[in-house]
Amino acid sequence: MSEDDSSSTTSCMSDTECSNVSVLSWEQVQRLDTILTETIPIHGRGNFPTLEMQPRQIVKVVRSRMEEKQIHVRDVRLNGSAASHILHEDSGLGFKDLDLIFCADMKGESDFQTVKDIVLDCLLDFLPDCVNKEKISPLTLKEAYVQKMVKVCNDSDRWSLISLSNNRGKNVELKFVDSLRRQFEFSVDSFQIKLDSLLLFYECSENPMAKTFHPTIVGESVYGDFSEALDHLRHQIICTRNPEEIRGGGLLKYCHLLVRGFRAASESEMKSLQRYMCSRFFIDFSDIGEQQRKLESYLQNHFVGLEDRKYDYLMTLHGVVNESTVCLMGHERRQTLGLIAMLAVRVLAEQNIIPNVANVTCYYQPAPYVADGNFSNYYIAQVQPVFACQQPAYSTWLPCN
């Protein structure tokens, strides 16, 4: 057990320990406890009932059944924006998804299948008592409650992800990791909080936690220096390294940070890194259809309740791609920029927002029936409104000034 000074937000470990770890303060432990004991609804599709679960409950059930199946779990961690929120409450990142990492020994395909079966089987435990569970198959549970499933198995990365659906965007994401070469995109999202001591406390302690009576909980920055990464989080600084190692280059997350008010410590260095981000993004998503699906998915998953920021996000992305893309041919670049612009106009239409007239060109198309003096047919062009591009001269299209 540990006792923390209330004036301290983070107490560093001794000099003999690695600089990438730190012990959580009492205030941080309280925020972690709130997140792990909060009831989160997992919404079912169609007529399936909503599952009510606490993160600590699903972790306990999944871990115990993995051990029963002889899959050793080294530790369990909280990752992503939730971990950043615990370390610094006013980080500006906010948090939606709850990312839980099970660091486990999974060497074969059978282990990944076993883990998948365990998670789906665990969902039965959270169904209401009135439901006839015997007639529900794993496939049915998957279709009803799982938003996405991912599995990666190669020489450097062996992991899988099962995301449980929440209509408000607060998905519970269970990630099972044997090995993962790149565990972060930027320093501000590089934090992982080890949960084992707190989970053990829940199981063994008969007394509630207090400032003078709580488990020692360690946080780690997989970026490197913990204090440096925490300073970046507090001051909203964007910092990364080797973005070409990240799937998608970290491009979409980078633009998201910019929209949230984060800024690069070195503008010149970040301009250089932007080119690597764009290059890796277009390597991973080379087809315009893939790009559209990725952008639409990102908007859907990361802007729940923040719909008013979608337009600014897309404009920021357009600017970065326009400025820093060096790996595409001219027509490919214009195609991608056109896609982003189209999505931006769609966002405005969904929000029923009339853009600033300085950025809009309005057209009408003469047709035989315009001879009717009562007829009027005006509309906003899909791409032209957002950017001042060179306008092609169409003799049958007249600007309405």
Side-chain angles (χ1 to χ4, degrees), residues 14 37 55 65 85 122 156 205 224 250 293 316-317 350 387:
S14 65
T37 56
R65 295 190 186 179
H85 169 78
C122 287
S156 59
S205 178
R293 286 189 292 272
T316 300
L317 176 62
E350 290 172 352
F387 304 101

Side-chain angles (χ1 to χ4, degrees), residues 131-148:
V131 176
N132 187 348
K133 302 177 183 180
E134 294 180 358
K135 295 185 177 181
I136 301 178
S137 67
L139 179 60
T140 302
L141 289 168
K142 174 181 176 294
E143 294 298 324
Y145 295 107
V146 175
Q147 184 186 60
K148 65 179 178 181

Side-chain angles (χ1 to χ4, degrees), residues 52-69 71 73 76 100 102 114-115 117-127 164 174 176 199 202-203:
E52 303 285 345
M53 64 174 64
Q54 296 177 353
R56 56 176 281 190
Q57 293 174 329
I58 189 68
V59 168
K60 176 184 176 182
V61 175
V62 170
R63 182 174 192 167
S64 63
R65 295 190 186 179
M66 289 177 68
E67 296 287 358
E68 289 174 4
K69 296 294 185 179
I71 299 177
V73 179
V76 181
L100 295 163
F102 294 77
T114 299
V115 165
D117 294 340
I118 286 173
V119 173
L120 295 177
D121 185 61
C122 287
L123 296 181
L124 290 173
D125 295 353
F126 296 95
L127 284 169
L164 305 180
L174 308 176
F176 302 90
L199 296 173
Y202 288 145
E203 292 295 313

Side-chain angles (χ1 to χ4, degrees), residues 328-360:
L328 298 182
M329 298 179 66
H331 73 279
E332 294 174 322
R333 182 170 169 273
R334 289 190 296 271
Q335 193 177 39
T336 298
L337 292 174
L339 167 64
I340 299 171
M342 178 272 290
L343 292 174
V345 173
R346 181 193 296 177
V347 165
L348 292 179
E350 290 172 352
Q351 299 175 4
N352 198 25
I353 296 175
I354 300 176
N356 187 323
V357 294
N359 297 324
V360 174

Side-chain angles (χ1 to χ4, degrees), residues 31 35 80-91 94-95 233:
R31 288 197 289 270
I35 287 177
S81 57
S84 299
H85 169 78
I86 289 166
L87 295 173
H88 184 56
E89 190 172 15
D90 301 320
S91 65
F95 79 95
L233 183 64

Side-chain angles (χ1 to χ4, degrees), residues 130-303:
C130 59
V131 176
N132 187 348
K133 302 177 183 180
E134 294 180 358
K135 295 185 177 181
I136 301 178
S137 67
L139 179 60
T140 302
L141 289 168
K142 174 181 176 294
E143 294 298 324
Y145 295 107
V146 175
Q147 184 186 60
K148 65 179 178 181
M149 302 181 74
V150 180
K151 183 177 69 175
V152 176
C153 290
N154 54 45
D155 292 339
S156 59
D157 298 331
R158 298 180 59 82
W159 59 272
S160 66
L161 172 72
I162 300 176
S163 178
L164 305 180
S165 301
N166 177 279
N167 292 344
R168 296 192 294 270
K170 197 170 186 178
N171 299 332
V172 176
E173 301 206 333
L174 308 176
K175 194 169 187 177
F176 302 90
V177 178
D178 179 82
S179 60
L180 183 58
R181 178 178 57 181
R182 177 80 181 215
Q183 302 184 57
F184 72 98
E185 291 185 275
F186 298 88
S187 61
V188 294
D189 65 7
S190 68
F191 298 104
Q192 297 182 0
I193 297 175
K194 299 179 181 181
L195 303 179
D196 298 80
S197 60
L198 182 56
L199 296 173
L200 182 61
F201 183 91
Y202 288 145
E203 292 295 313
C204 300
S205 178
E206 298 179 354
N207 299 311
M209 287 193 299
K211 182 178 179 180
T212 56
F213 183 74
H214 65 270
T216 298
I217 303 172
V218 175
E220 178 183 359
S221 170
V222 292
Y223 162 80
D225 187 274
F226 187 95
S227 297
E228 181 183 357
L230 186 59
D231 187 67
H232 292 165
L233 183 64
R234 287 170 173 162
H235 297 93
Q236 298 189 326
I237 295 173
I238 301 174
C239 187
T240 189
R241 58 173 176 267
N242 303 328
E244 67 275 8
E245 296 177 354
I246 309 169
R247 176 165 172 78
L251 175 64
L252 302 186
K253 179 64 175 286
Y254 170 67
C255 294
H256 199 172
L257 291 174
L258 290 175
V259 170
R260 286 184 172 272
F262 286 70
R263 291 294 177 263
S266 170
E267 291 291 340
S268 58
E269 180 182 359
M270 194 54 67
K271 293 296 182 185
S272 175
L273 291 178
Q274 282 180 189
R275 291 193 287 272
Y276 288 103
M277 294 180 195
C278 291
S279 296
R280 178 60 195 262
F281 180 84
F282 291 116
I283 289 172
D284 293 330
F285 306 98
S286 56
D287 178 76
I288 190 68
E290 293 178 332
Q291 295 168 20
Q292 180 169 351
R293 286 189 292 272
K294 181 62 178 178
L295 289 175
E296 289 176 340
S297 174
Y298 193 91
L299 291 172
Q300 179 181 354
N301 294 331
H302 293 84
F303 289 87

Side-chain angles (χ1 to χ4, degrees), residues 300-312:
Q300 179 181 354
N301 294 331
H302 293 84
F303 289 87
V304 177
L306 299 170
E307 285 76 11
D308 58 325
R309 293 193 179 186
K310 286 184 179 180
Y311 180 80
D312 290 339

